[in-house]
Amino acid sequence: MLCKAPFLGLTIDPSGAIVLCCATKDRDYLKTNINDVESLNDFFLGSEYQHVRDTMIKDGIHGLQQCKGCWKATEGYAAEIDNYNSKTPSEPLTIKYLEVTTSNVCNQTCVMCSSYFSSKWRKLEAQFNRHAFPSFYLNDSAVDKILEVLPTLEYLQIKGGEPFADKNNLKILKTLSQVNPTCEVIITSNFQTLSREWLDVLKMLPNIRAYASIDGVYRVYDWIRGGNFEETTSNMELFYNETGKKLVVNPCISVYNLLHFHEIKNYFKDKDYVENVINNNIVEYPEYLSPSLLPSSAISKATFIQKTSIPEFKTTYEVDDNLTKIRSWYSSESEKDPEEIVELRKQFRAHTEQMNKVRGFNIFDLEPELMPIFK
């Protein structure tokens, strides 16, 4: 299977590394940082990246070990590859798609995250016996290289960290509104904060599309993400009222919320500010927080509940109302050795107990179904 990602553009991760895409498991494959190149266009058309395109043409995604995370796409799981393949490369090649994370600055400590993607995790890593990554920021020179390619972009995707917490993103989008205002902008945010300055810029982008990272409702959300559910939903509604654009709720499905995923859809099904709830973002790392640790009966239960209890959203986008992606992913990815499962569940328990201390309340009180599985 061919993936169009290397024919469309580039992805820049929080450290400034240029990577194949956000789904790759190997962030060092290209061994290039944005600070190492004179321009993004030069790298995009250079020999290193052309080798990736040649390999993709010859062997498809199976020609690159770095694309192993998307090999499952051939087995029915709609991975990130679908997002890229919906777009058409230009001829001759130019950068049409840019995904950028300008820093790891973040205001939440999501249970499945780390200090690589969230600066707020730095103070917690020692409690989990993990290495603390430094705070990453793109410098002015790196940001200037991004500004240079804005006029020809058709798609710009901004991730984090937390996009609304980094002034560099504000600078990028202000410039985009001046040089290429019709560019499609996709921004993924936790919506914990949303300032007037940000709203004024977002209103200048007619083709902006916002994804809200919501992994539960009420106290489950607070525990998983370390934020405040009421503040988050208030900012989501504010975004809609100011821009006129409905949001897509984009949960990160983990062992913690799979059995309660229907509650997210039920909460947002009648909210005017939400267009859809999708369910194709699944935790695979760390493995001890992956839904693959759940028994197949739990997967079946989650599927049944969603199929029978949730009305479809009235939207132009297809609704995943029966968790078919998760079921196909589970059947193809959860063939683990029983001893490995025991060890991963042990790690899950240790991680969860420590996070209970950090949060100050217990996830097992909110999701008691997990207790007998991981006791």
Side-chain angles (χ1 to χ4, degrees):
M1 175 180 288
L2 179 74
C3 175
K4 294 179 183 176
F7 301 86
L8 289 165
L10 301 168
T11 295
I12 301 167
D13 88 344
S15 69
I18 300 176
V19 299
L20 289 179
C21 78
C22 69
T24 185
K25 293 183 179 297
D26 184 353
R27 295 184 174 272
D28 296 323
Y29 171 64
L30 295 173
K31 295 181 174 60
T32 304
N33 192 283
I34 189 172
N35 293 315
D36 300 331
V37 301
E38 290 295 323
S39 77
L40 293 177
N41 277 313
D42 287 348
F43 179 79
F44 180 69
L45 298 174
S47 59
E48 298 96 331
Y49 214 52
Q50 185 58 47
H51 173 73
V52 174
R53 288 190 284 268
D54 291 342
T55 302
M56 190 68 70
I57 291 171
K58 179 175 180 290
D59 300 316
I61 62 172
H62 287 81
L64 292 163
Q65 283 288 329
Q66 294 73 25
C67 299
K68 193 172 182 179
C70 278
W71 290 3
K72 69 189 71 167
T74 62
E75 300 167 0
Y77 172 64
E80 186 69 17
I81 190 172
D82 291 350
N83 178 45
Y84 295 114
N85 284 354
S86 65
K87 301 169 177 61
T88 303
S90 59
E91 191 62 49
L93 285 176
T94 58
I95 298 177
K96 294 178 64 176
Y97 180 102
L98 182 65
E99 180 179 316
V100 60
T101 303
T102 55
S103 73
N104 62 355
V105 174
C106 189
N107 51 12
Q108 290 188 335
T109 52
C110 299
V111 66
M112 58 285 182
C113 197
S114 72
S115 54
Y116 191 86
F117 291 100
S118 170
S119 57
K120 198 169 183 180
W121 254 103
R122 290 188 65 203
K123 293 181 179 180
L124 296 179
E125 295 285 28
Q127 298 181 41
F128 293 83
N129 298 314
R130 301 191 315 197
H131 167 73
F133 288 93
S135 293
F136 300 128
Y137 300 88
L138 294 191
N139 58 35
D140 290 344
S141 174
V143 173
D144 287 342
K145 292 168 189 175
I146 293 171
L147 299 182
E148 288 174 3
V149 302
L150 294 183
T152 61
L153 291 185
E154 293 185 11
Y155 315 93
L156 172 63
Q157 186 156 6
I158 296 180
K159 293 183 176 179
E162 167 48 40
F164 295 151
D166 190 336
K167 291 285 188 179
N168 276 331
N169 291 320
L170 201 60
K171 181 178 181 179
I172 290 168
L173 291 184
K174 279 183 178 179
T175 303
L176 184 71
S177 71
Q178 297 164 0
V179 303
N180 187 4
T182 60
C183 177
E184 181 180 345
V185 178
I186 304 97
I187 191 163
T188 301
S189 168
N190 60 40
F191 278 87
Q192 189 67 71
T193 59
L194 184 57
S195 69
R196 168 49 54 187
E197 187 178 21
W198 261 104
L199 285 168
D200 289 342
V201 172
L202 296 172
K203 289 161 65 175
M204 293 190 291
L205 299 164
N207 294 320
I208 191 164
R209 188 164 182 75
Y211 288 75
S213 301
I214 307 291
D215 298 336
V217 298
Y218 302 114
R219 294 289 275 171
V220 171
Y221 170 92
D222 296 351
W223 191 93
I224 292 176
R225 301 197 67 88
N228 182 279
F229 184 69
E230 285 76 13
E231 291 179 10
T232 296
T233 53
S234 177
N235 284 323
M236 292 167 64
E237 189 169 13
L238 176 62
F239 172 87
Y240 169 65
N241 291 335
E242 292 276 344
T243 67
K245 302 290 185 180
K246 294 190 175 186
L247 297 103
V248 175
V249 174
N250 185 24
C252 189
I253 300 174
S254 70
V255 67
Y256 294 113
N257 61 9
L258 178 61
L259 295 175
H260 290 254
F261 181 75
H262 62 285
E263 294 178 0
I264 303 174
K265 284 200 169 185
N266 274 330
Y267 179 87
F268 289 107
K269 70 177 184 292
D270 58 355
K271 299 296 187 290
D272 291 338
Y273 55 89
V274 169
E275 180 177 31
N276 194 12
V277 178
I278 59 177
N279 63 322
N280 57 7
N281 188 14
I282 302 170
V283 172
E284 296 184 56
Y285 182 83
E287 283 189 87
Y288 53 81
L289 300 185
S290 166
S292 65
L293 293 188
L294 292 168
S296 59
S297 59
I299 305 292
S300 298
K301 178 182 178 181
T303 302
F304 176 78
I305 292 173
Q306 185 154 263
K307 185 186 297 184
T308 58
S309 68
I310 303 173
E312 291 188 359
F313 280 69
K314 294 180 179 178
T315 174
T316 56
Y317 290 84
E318 182 180 354
V319 177
D320 299 320
D321 58 67
N322 59 3
L323 291 177
T324 52
K325 293 177 183 177
I326 294 176
R327 289 183 64 83
S328 63
W329 161 80
Y330 180 87
S331 63
S332 64
E333 292 295 304
S334 64
E335 299 299 325
K336 293 184 175 68
D337 182 271
E339 292 185 2
E340 182 183 5
I341 291 288
V342 170
E343 178 58 29
L344 288 171
R345 288 181 176 175
K346 180 180 177 181
Q347 293 176 42
F348 164 87
R349 183 71 188 208
H351 186 84
T352 304
E353 288 176 350
Q354 185 59 42
M355 187 57 72
N356 283 335
K357 296 176 182 177
V358 170
R359 299 293 192 238
F361 59 103
N362 197 320
I363 188 64
F364 293 123
D365 292 338
L366 303 173
E367 299 191 11
E369 302 96 328
L370 295 176
M371 181 66 80
I373 298 173
F374 296 101
K375 64 181 178 181

